[in-house]
Each structure stands twice: as structure tokens, then as C-alpha cells.
Amino acid sequence: MSYRIIKDKLDNGEVVLLDGGTGSEIERLGVEMNGLAWCGIAHMEQPELVRQVHESYIHAGADIIIANTFGTAPHVIKRLGMEDQIADINQIAVRLALEARENAGKDVCVAASVSSMPALDDFFVPKTDQVKQGFIRQAELLAEAGAELIIAEMVREVDVAGMIIPAAWATGLPVWTGFSASMNDAGSLTNYESPVRDDETVPFRPMAEDVLEMGCDAAGVMHTSVHNTGPALTELSELWDGPMFAYAESGHFVPPNWKFEDIIAPLDYLGYVRQWMEQGVQIVGGCCGMGPEHIRVLNENLAV
């Protein structure tokens, strides 16, 4: 499915269904996660299983699947001593998603993620020209491999977004921006807190406002707890009047593993999604902890 068809669905007011968590589903099926890159090289180690994950989401009803590129930024891959494989790691991820589309026999849109996920030992993205050039190269590689949409995922810092989003725009592909949020002890919405660092948090709204000035074709909230997604969407909707998306996480991260604890039931998740749609969300799916059954329930109960 070319992005043109997704755009037509959005213009017609139809619901667009994303996939669920890719990295967490790979882990749930038994693939060992990498201590620095999480799921970033899983498709190099077990390509058949990663292709299977994409196919499972297509069969569940997803209109868009996201290639396994959340953890494949060059500055992360270099930390693994795999600098000479940066191109293959990124492009094979997209290729597997394209193959899954062909195998499933359903015309879905293949997206790729360019994320702010850092190496997991310090959870910090260096703000250097080398990292910036790495994001540019990654975006080019993803576009060359056949990605039809780039999603800037886990946006939580203006400076990092300022490297990712222009790199994505330079490919000529549509760009979606996915913000991640947390709630502090005072009940105020902030950027997404690191699970391994005591980073200084910043208020969500001004961060999102600055990032939105960089432009996007759709904006939304992802990699955020189910409970915090609604409040973040409320603030986002006051800053953005274009298409909005939401794909929340369930469980929690203890690097390098996703902990599948207290995962929300698919029907309960459907209830939250319906609330988000009342807030103006048109594009829905799931993030870490959410699997094919969550997407299947959304597909069966929403007008897609």
C-alpha cells in the first residue's frame, strides 16, 4: 500500500491501523535482546522470525507495519563494533518488512523508524555532528531500501529531534513525529523519563511545540504508558491540527529487556483507543508490550 492510499484514508476520515510493538514481540518470541541496541540487530540474527512478526501484524489487520529500525541508528551500531554493517542492518530490516507484505498478500504501507533510542548503557544521544550525519545516512538508507514513510519515534528532546526530522524530510518521504511522555510526581506532563538515568525532565508542551515547528505529516503519542497517552494527546491537540496517532506501551523496560508484566488486555486497550479517537486520533496501533491480538481486536471493533 503506497502512502498515497494511507493519505486518502486520512483525508476521507477513515481509521488507519498501525501494527503493535515490533521489538517487544520479537523478544516475546524468544530472541535475546542486545545489551546496547535492544532489538536493533535481531533481524540479522533471526530474519525469519522478524519477518514472521511483521506478517502476524498484517494478518491481524494492520494497514502500516514498521520495520525493525528503532535501534539501528549508526551511533548505536558503531558501539557494537559493527560500523561496516550499518547499511545492511538498516536495509535488511526494511527488506524483511517488504517481504512480509508480499508473503501476506495484503497491500500494506511499509514504514521505517528513525528513533532517539541511544545505546542502552547510558541512555544518552550525543549531540554531535557525527551523530547528526549518522541520522542523515540512516534515513537515506531506509528510503533507498524501499520504506514508504519515516516515523521519528520516541521524540523527547528538541536537539535530537532537530537532527532526526530534517534527515527524514531530506529523503522526500512523508514524515510522522511520535512524542513520548511521562508524568512527574507533581502530576505534570514531561518528556519521557529514562529508565537508566536520572535525566532532568522538561515540560512536555514547550518541547512538543518546538519540535512541531520542524514540520510533519502526522503527529502523535507513542512509547508512552496507556494512562499518560490521553493527557499527552490533550496537550498535543492544542498545538497540532493535522492527523494524530496514538500507540501506547504496556509493561516496562529493564534494559535490555521488556518486562511483560501487567500487560493491558486487548479489550481494555480498545476502550482507551476509543477515548483517544474522541480526542481526534485517527491512526491507532500499539507499542512495546502490545502484540498481534491487540491489533486484531482493534481491527475487529473499529471502523477501519
Side-chain angles (χ1 to χ4, degrees), residues 17-38:
L17 192 58
L18 286 157
D19 58 8
T22 299
S24 61
E25 184 65 10
I26 293 168
E27 180 178 353
R28 191 185 69 81
L29 293 177
V31 179
E32 184 176 355
M33 296 291 99
N34 184 272
L36 289 174
W38 188 43

Side-chain angles (χ1 to χ4, degrees), residues 113-159:
S113 165
V114 178
S115 85
S116 64
M117 195 203 94
L120 297 181
D121 59 344
D122 62 7
F123 220 75
F124 175 75
V125 178
K127 283 76 167 180
T128 66
D129 187 65
Q130 185 179 44
V131 171
K132 178 181 177 180
Q133 294 303 316
F135 281 129
I136 292 171
R137 184 183 181 201
Q138 182 187 19
E140 290 172 346
L141 289 168
L142 299 175
E144 289 171 2
E148 297 156 334
L149 162 68
I150 293 183
I151 307 179
E153 290 197 310
M154 203 172 77
V155 171
R156 57 187 297 271
E157 293 181 85
V158 175
D159 290 345

Side-chain angles (χ1 to χ4, degrees), residues 34 37 40-47 68-69 71-95 134 137-138 141-142 145:
N34 184 272
I41 58 172
H43 56 281
M44 304 297 286
E45 298 170 340
Q46 297 201 40
N68 185 46
T69 58
T72 62
H75 64 275
V76 175
I77 300 305
K78 288 176 182 178
R79 292 283 296 277
L80 299 177
M82 301 174 71
E83 184 170 1
D84 60 339
Q85 297 184 57
I86 287 171
D88 282 345
I89 289 169
N90 279 278
Q91 295 196 316
I92 288 172
V94 175
R95 204 169 304 147
R137 184 183 181 201
Q138 182 187 19
L141 289 168
L142 299 175

